[in-house]
Amino acid sequence: MVLNTRWSALDAEASTWMAHWRDLCDFVLPRTARFLNSDRNVGYKKNTKILNETATFSLEETARGMMSKITNPARPWIKLKMTNEGLNLRPDVAIWLDSVTQRMLQVFIRSNLYTTLAVIYEDLLLYGTGCFVIEKDEDTVIRTEVLPIGSYRLGISGKNRVDTCYRELDMTRHQLVDKFGLENVSETIRVACLNQTGMEMTVTVRHCVEPNPDYRPGSIDNREMRFRSIWYEVGAPDGQFLRQSGFNTMAVVAPRWRTTTGDVYGTAPAMNCLGSIKELQTLERRSMQLLDKVITPALNVPIELRRREINQMSGGLNFVANPATAKIEPVHTIQSAPIQHVEAKIQRLEERIRKGLYNDVFRAMNGIDTARTAEEIRARLDQKIQSIGPILLKLNDEMLDCVVERTFEIMQDPFFKGLLPPAPQAIQGSALTVEYISELAQAMKLAGLVGIERVVGFAGNLSAMGLGQSLDALDVDEIMDTYADMAGSPAKILNAQKTRNTIRNQRIAAQQAQAQEQQMQQRAEMMKNLGQTPTVGNNALTDMSGVL
């Protein structure tokens, strides 16, 4: 079978990573991998190599920070836009985009996406590669499933993007029938299920997602879509599949932390720290051994006491004939200095591990929500935030873009009719794009916001000094639109250009009416004064009449 041949090739390529992944798993998060199908549902202790949990706790802290600052369920982190910027300025289009964005965020909340992303961030930090599947769900629109490292094999396209995923897993006969139907399983399993025998026996199956060689653009047959999905039992005859379907968008999302051109799997921060992590466990063991020798040292015991039990308990008594010659003493007296040196080394290693796992970056992000100005926010950030910028862009490209694209495709499914609002006629045939407005994404934009604030503030200072013409250089509409866009504000809070023009025309008309009213009042006052002026005597009126 061609699928088996492809699996063997992908498996051979992944095999070079297995030993490294096992080390990372054993020393940081022992229950996050599945290198053997038999690892399923195994409950025995796996953390026997971990004596100091600094790496585990630090990795979990950074993963929580990524979850909070990149895909926080409590705040919007995406903003849908049209690739044609002119369309984004239309009020009807802007309102439709906001509505779709809000509905998509609600779909994310209703599904299990956020629990999946929390695990994926840990996998990225530990193994450099994460993998999960997004499928249609009739109850929650989408449903995601995390694939543990070691259980899947990936392939990449000519653009170095993951476009192939094969995975192998064990399923019970009951699970097979429940997922694929009695009519699709092999004859052996069908007979066993009809007889209700061995329902909990496991069967090895494979799931393959890859570009479809039979792809036909525009076809509604899921077997002719851009990607094909095939489930089959290992050992089944050629062409006998449990399920054959397809997708127009890649259903498997496989982000990677950092890659070199041509590499299928990514490298991770924990890989850089693995030497320190192992050394930390060794020093922790040495520290405990030293401490044990101080607390319960080896003893020199007089030979006459060799057949007597020695009481070493606090307040215990040992009766001897001659205390001067029957002393019980430690073989070695260990000073505190070696223990202090070991503890100091342990602290340095712990700090290196925390830094290597980006703890300092996300700790620097704490408190940004309480800052009031862009300048104040920038003061709390430094090059630590910028150091993770390329990683954020890669996650946007390989993970979040795929999540949004796949979710939008499922939301358009006729089964969920009415889930999306009717699209304006103006956007027919136009493409959508996504802008990320998470806390971390906005922190990366702070330099631009600070620049706008500085220019506006400088113009205001010049105007206060009597140089009012400095304000003439500012395009207020462009400033407001750009600032709101960079800050990720909803489109509804800004008036459309037509509404702004109407408000300004009304303001000008009101000012003109007020000026005319003031002129009329001044004329009326002048006429009143002239009417009360005497026509005889010396005054301005008689002088003017004399001249005339």
Side-chain angles (χ1 to χ4, degrees):
M1 184 185 291
V2 175
L3 296 176
N4 288 334
T5 303
R6 184 81 190 276
W7 165 266
S8 298
L10 295 174
D11 183 58
E13 189 168 19
S15 63
T16 60
W17 295 83
M18 291 296 177
H20 203 170
W21 290 339
R22 285 180 184 275
D23 261 1
L24 293 165
C25 175
D26 290 342
F27 284 93
V28 185
L29 292 173
R31 292 194 173 276
T32 57
R34 186 161 295 169
F35 300 107
L36 300 172
N37 293 339
S38 58
D39 288 342
R40 167 182 168 272
N41 199 31
V42 174
Y44 58 78
K45 291 192 297 183
K46 293 188 175 184
N47 60 345
T48 54
K49 294 184 179 181
I50 300 177
L51 299 176
N52 185 309
E53 305 88 352
T54 297
T56 302
F57 295 158
S58 298
L59 186 141
E60 290 175 342
E61 180 181 343
T62 299
R64 289 193 298 269
M66 294 177 70
M67 187 72 189
S68 173
K69 307 303 181 183
I70 300 177
T71 51
N72 191 336
R75 57 170 290 169
W77 51 272
I78 59 170
K79 182 179 181 182
L80 296 180
K81 301 176 69 175
M82 307 303 300
T83 53
N84 184 343
E85 288 294 337
L87 292 175
N88 294 322
L89 301 177
R90 292 176 57 99
D92 57 336
V93 174
I95 292 174
W96 181 82
L97 290 171
D98 276 351
S99 177
V100 174
T101 299
Q102 293 303 318
R103 296 185 188 198
M104 184 175 290
L105 290 171
Q106 287 299 315
V107 168
F108 293 159
I109 291 175
R110 288 176 56 195
S111 71
N112 65 333
L113 175 66
Y114 289 116
T115 56
T116 292
L117 291 179
V119 176
I120 292 299
Y121 288 134
E122 291 182 352
D123 284 353
L124 286 169
L125 289 164
L126 183 56
Y127 305 112
T129 305
C131 192
F132 63 103
V133 182
I134 304 178
E135 295 181 323
K136 171 185 170 182
D137 186 275
E138 295 182 356
D139 297 322
T140 60
V141 184
I142 64 170
R143 193 74 184 169
T144 61
E145 178 186 359
V146 178
L147 308 185
I149 196 76
S151 68
Y152 57 84
R153 310 291 185 264
L154 302 178
I156 58 175
S157 67
K159 297 181 179 180
N160 289 314
R161 297 179 64 89
V162 174
D163 67 350
T164 300
C165 178
Y166 280 47
R167 61 165 167 157
E168 186 175 273
L169 65 157
D170 282 354
M171 300 179 68
T172 65
R173 292 175 174 179
H174 171 72
Q175 289 175 323
L176 279 177
V177 173
D178 183 60
K179 185 176 182 67
F180 302 108
L182 187 64
E183 67 280 4
N184 294 314
V185 299
S186 63
E187 183 65 24
T188 302
I189 296 177
R190 188 182 302 118
V191 172
C193 291
L194 290 174
N195 295 329
Q196 291 294 302
T197 58
M199 295 297 290
E200 295 307 314
M201 292 181 62
T202 59
V203 179
T204 301
V205 300
R206 287 185 186 143
H207 180 205
C208 312
V209 178
E210 61 186 353
N212 190 357
D214 300 322
Y215 170 54
R216 293 179 57 190
S219 175
I220 61 174
D221 185 350
N222 60 14
R223 298 188 181 189
E224 297 176 342
M225 292 184 174
R226 186 180 299 274
F227 297 94
R228 69 177 183 179
S229 171
I230 298 176
W231 289 82
Y232 70 95
E233 298 177 33
V234 174
D238 288 357
Q240 182 175 333
F241 302 137
L242 293 166
R243 177 183 295 164
Q244 185 175 6
S245 59
F247 326 97
N248 278 322
T249 55
M250 184 61 168
V252 176
V253 182
R256 297 164 294 172
W257 186 268
R258 182 181 284 112
T259 55
T260 303
T261 301
D263 284 352
V264 178
Y265 302 95
T267 57
M271 292 180 176
N272 300 330
C273 303
L274 185 56
S276 295
I277 293 171
K278 288 185 173 181
E279 184 181 0
L280 179 61
Q281 307 309 320
T282 300
L283 281 179
E284 192 71 38
R285 183 177 291 105
R286 295 286 187 268
S287 175
M288 289 187 290
Q289 289 172 347
L290 277 173
L291 195 59
D292 189 51
K293 289 180 179 179
V294 171
I295 298 173
T296 57
L299 301 175
N300 285 329
V301 181
I303 192 169
E304 60 265 28
L305 298 179
R306 68 182 183 277
R307 298 186 184 280
R308 295 179 55 181
E309 182 178 353
I310 302 173
N311 188 345
Q312 299 186 66
M313 298 296 294
S314 176
L317 298 175
N318 290 290
F319 299 97
V320 296
N322 186 358
T325 60
K327 290 183 178 180
I328 302 174
E329 297 177 334
V331 175
H332 303 289
T333 301
I334 298 177
Q335 304 297 326
S336 60
I339 298 178
Q340 293 173 354
H341 292 323
V342 172
E343 291 296 330
K345 178 64 174 178
I346 287 175
Q347 290 179 4
R348 291 195 296 271
L349 285 171
E350 289 175 343
E351 187 57 34
R352 280 161 52 181
I353 292 170
R354 293 189 186 100
K355 186 175 182 180
L357 293 176
Y358 293 94
N359 277 186
D360 55 339
V361 173
F362 290 94
R363 286 176 180 176
M365 293 287 291
N366 292 335
I368 282 185
D369 290 336
T370 61
R372 298 182 178 180
T373 66
E375 185 68 35
E376 185 179 353
I377 294 175
R378 193 182 69 162
R380 297 187 182 187
L381 303 176
D382 54 17
Q383 60 183 1
K384 295 177 182 178
I385 300 299
Q386 302 302 325
S387 67
I388 205 172
I391 304 301
L392 177 61
L393 295 178
K394 189 169 182 63
L395 291 182
N396 291 347
D397 179 51
E398 294 194 354
M399 182 172 75
L400 301 184
D401 283 356
C402 300
V403 169
V404 172
E405 183 181 9
R406 175 70 176 149
T407 303
F408 188 72
E409 181 192 21
I410 295 175
M411 291 174 69
Q412 292 177 296
D413 191 290
F415 183 85
F416 303 112
K417 185 178 181 180
L419 181 58
L420 292 175
Q425 187 64 32
I427 69 171
Q428 298 301 320
S430 299
L432 274 173
T433 186
V434 61
E435 177 185 0
Y436 296 100
I437 56 174
S438 64
E439 189 173 335
L440 186 55
Q442 287 181 302
M444 304 295 293
K445 299 179 181 179
L446 285 180
L449 294 178
V450 171
I452 293 174
E453 290 184 356
R454 284 181 173 175
V455 170
V456 174
F458 182 67
N461 293 337
L462 291 179
S463 177
M465 295 168 58
L467 302 175
Q469 63 270 25
S470 61
L471 298 178
D472 299 336
L474 299 180
D475 185 340
V476 178
D477 284 349
E478 186 64 26
I479 290 173
M480 291 301 300
D481 290 340
T482 302
Y483 198 98
D485 182 63
M486 295 179 68
S489 302
K492 294 180 181 180
I493 70 171
L494 295 180
N495 286 323
Q497 191 62 48
K498 183 178 180 181
T499 304
R500 301 179 199 181
N501 294 337
T502 301
I503 294 173
R504 288 164 183 166
N505 292 334
Q506 292 174 348
R507 185 185 301 117
I508 292 173
Q511 292 172 348
Q512 291 176 345
Q514 185 178 3
Q516 290 177 358
E517 183 178 354
Q518 291 176 351
Q519 290 178 359
M520 293 178 64
Q521 290 177 353
Q522 292 174 357
R523 291 176 182 176
E525 187 67 24
M526 290 176 60
M527 296 299 295
K528 177 181 178 182
N529 293 338
L530 288 173
Q532 295 176 352
T533 303
T535 57
V536 295
N538 295 326
N539 55 49
L541 183 59
T542 56
D543 290 344
M544 289 179 63
S545 61
V547 173
L548 296 173

